Amino acid sequence: MKLASLKAGRDGHLAVVSKDLTRMVVVPDIACTLQQALDNWKDKAPKLQKKYERLNSEGLPAAEAFDVSRCTAPLPRAYQWLDGSAYVNHVELVRKARGAEMPESFWTDPLMYQGGSDQLLGPQDDIPLSNEEWGIDFEAEVVVVTNDVPMGICPNKADKHIVLFGLVNDVSLRNLIPGELGKGFGFMQSKPASSFSPVFVTPDELGDQLQEGMIQSRLFVHRNGDLFGRPDCATDMTFNFPKLVAHAARTRHLAAGTIIGSGTVSNCDHGVGSCCIAERRMLEIIEEGEAKTPFMDFGEQVRIEMFDREGQSIFGAIDQQFVHYAC
């Protein structure tokens, strides 16, 4: 099934969305918000699934047209947002861009940071930032959402705790990152609010495109209408999602509603393009001696989307602009 949150208050109103992303129905009789559904997933999921099946087959009297502009993030605020680095090829390139060597352990032990999750942006929300000199970059990724995950879970059992998939634009301010990491305390100011796809979907919606904890599909990224990248999400993914979930839960329980990101999708085949500007700039330095692709300016637009084998958008598109925010 496909689930969205319509803008309303801090946590939105939960809506079930049709498979073709054309119709929706709000479901306060089942759960008012997605977090409420996740907190009682074993009981709520079957009820939401029945509503989804009716919406797709016979229709529902209360159904209305699905309007992406009404969507906030499926989880407008989350108890936890953890972003990994499953594509080690990308990590290696970006570290080279700031003159940092990559330890061999990165190939066996995932990187992961804890991001801010008190306010997550919707798929068409503007991205407000104060300064273009910060090195504004988009990062296209896949995310999963968990139910309650016990501490110390093994990767071969973690897949049972992945209940939803989605997309994220994990914005980075590249020129602030070196200074922050140099302090030895991780990302903070260099990682503003992230933006999420209109809908999150249950694993069964992905069909045979979901194999071995990875999505066998390309992620399309456009900058100002021009194709920027179309890497395959399974190719060169060093750590699959069950491994990322297990890594996050090694020393703590994870609460229902935890979002875990893949990190920027990246392929070793550079002909497929990139999912962030920093990676393209690093490749330009390697191949041409200097970075030529500029970071984002105010007024520029990014679009992130994934399609099924029939060409239907799976999650809907993240389609938004970077805008100036006057402090």
Side-chain angles (χ1 to χ4, degrees):
M1 61 184 157
K2 301 190 175 188
L3 302 173
S5 292
L6 306 181
K7 293 179 179 180
R10 288 185 181 269
D11 297 303
H13 288 164
L14 178 61
V16 175
V17 182
S18 63
K19 187 176 184 65
D20 63 3
L21 303 178
T22 63
R23 301 179 311 285
M24 67 178 182
V25 60
V26 292
V27 287
D29 54 318
I30 300 175
C32 292
T33 68
L34 179 54
Q35 185 60 54
Q36 287 181 5
L38 290 164
D39 285 339
N40 301 278
W41 191 249
K42 187 175 180 179
D43 172 62
K44 301 297 185 182
K47 297 176 182 178
L48 292 168
Q49 180 66 32
K50 287 182 180 178
K51 191 80 74 169
Y52 179 67
E53 291 170 358
R54 287 187 60 195
L55 181 63
N56 284 314
S57 58
E58 62 196 71
L60 292 168
E64 54 187 309
F66 180 53
D67 181 357
V68 176
S69 68
R70 295 177 59 190
C71 290
T72 183
L75 282 169
R77 53 179 176 170
Y79 287 120
Q80 190 153 230
W81 158 226
L82 305 172
D83 198 19
S85 285
Y87 301 88
V88 181
N89 164 67
H90 168 78
V91 180
E92 187 172 38
L93 286 171
V94 174
R95 284 179 70 88
K96 281 183 180 179
R98 61 174 187 264
E101 293 296 323
M102 192 181 80
E104 283 298 317
S105 63
F106 282 20
W107 290 98
T108 57
D109 190 30
L111 285 174
M112 188 170 284
Y113 80 91
Q114 189 169 33
S117 58
D118 55 322
Q119 186 180 36
L120 303 176
L121 300 179
Q124 293 187 354
D125 289 345
D126 288 339
I127 301 169
L129 296 165
S130 298
N131 194 331
E132 291 178 333
E133 299 304 313
W134 288 340
I136 303 168
D137 199 356
F138 50 81
E139 292 192 61
E141 309 179 17
V142 180
V143 298
V144 296
V145 180
T146 73
N147 56 18
D148 290 303
V149 182
M151 180 170 59
I153 195 166
C154 297
N156 60 1
K157 294 182 180 179
D159 65 321
K160 297 180 177 60
H161 294 278
I162 295 172
V163 297
L164 295 170
F165 284 81
L167 303 179
V168 64
N169 177 15
D170 179 43
V171 177
S172 288
L173 304 178
R174 298 295 184 184
N175 294 336
L176 299 186
I177 288 176
E180 282 205 314
L181 294 186
K183 297 177 182 178
F185 224 56
F187 298 120
M188 199 280 175
Q189 293 178 344
S190 53
K191 286 290 188 178
S194 298
S195 308
F196 291 82
S197 53
V199 302
F200 285 170
V201 310
T202 47
D204 58 290
E205 284 293 316
L206 299 169
D208 65 359
Q209 288 178 261
L210 179 59
Q211 296 183 24
E212 299 180 355
M214 301 178 287
I215 300 180
Q216 313 274 336
S217 185
R218 293 189 179 277
L219 186 57
F220 288 83
V221 181
H222 288 80
R223 179 181 185 176
N224 301 321
D226 296 325
L227 182 64
F228 196 86
R230 53 178 187 88
D232 181 80
C233 294
T235 302
D236 303 316
M237 189 178 191
T238 309
F239 306 104
N240 65 13
F241 281 109
K243 288 180 180 178
L244 292 177
V245 172
H247 179 82
R250 183 183 180 190
T251 62
R252 68 178 78 177
H253 301 295
L254 303 181
T258 293
I259 307 172
I260 298 178
S262 65
T264 306
V265 178
S266 176
N267 291 172
C268 293
D269 175 8
H270 303 149
V272 300
S274 301
C275 282
C276 74
I277 299 171
E279 182 175 295
R280 177 175 285 189
R281 286 169 62 89
M282 189 60 235
L283 291 170
E284 289 169 345
I285 292 172
I286 293 171
E287 296 167 4
E288 305 175 50
E290 63 177 334
K292 296 181 178 179
T293 302
F295 290 117
M296 300 295 281
D297 291 329
F298 298 140
E300 288 199 80
Q301 177 259 357
V302 63
R303 182 181 179 95
I304 301 167
E305 196 166 12
M306 183 185 292
F307 302 91
D308 62 21
R309 300 198 192 286
E310 286 71 48
Q312 170 69 42
S313 182
I314 299 174
F315 307 101
I318 297 172
D319 194 348
Q320 52 191 173
Q321 285 191 340
F322 292 86
V323 300
H324 180 248
Y325 175 77
C327 297

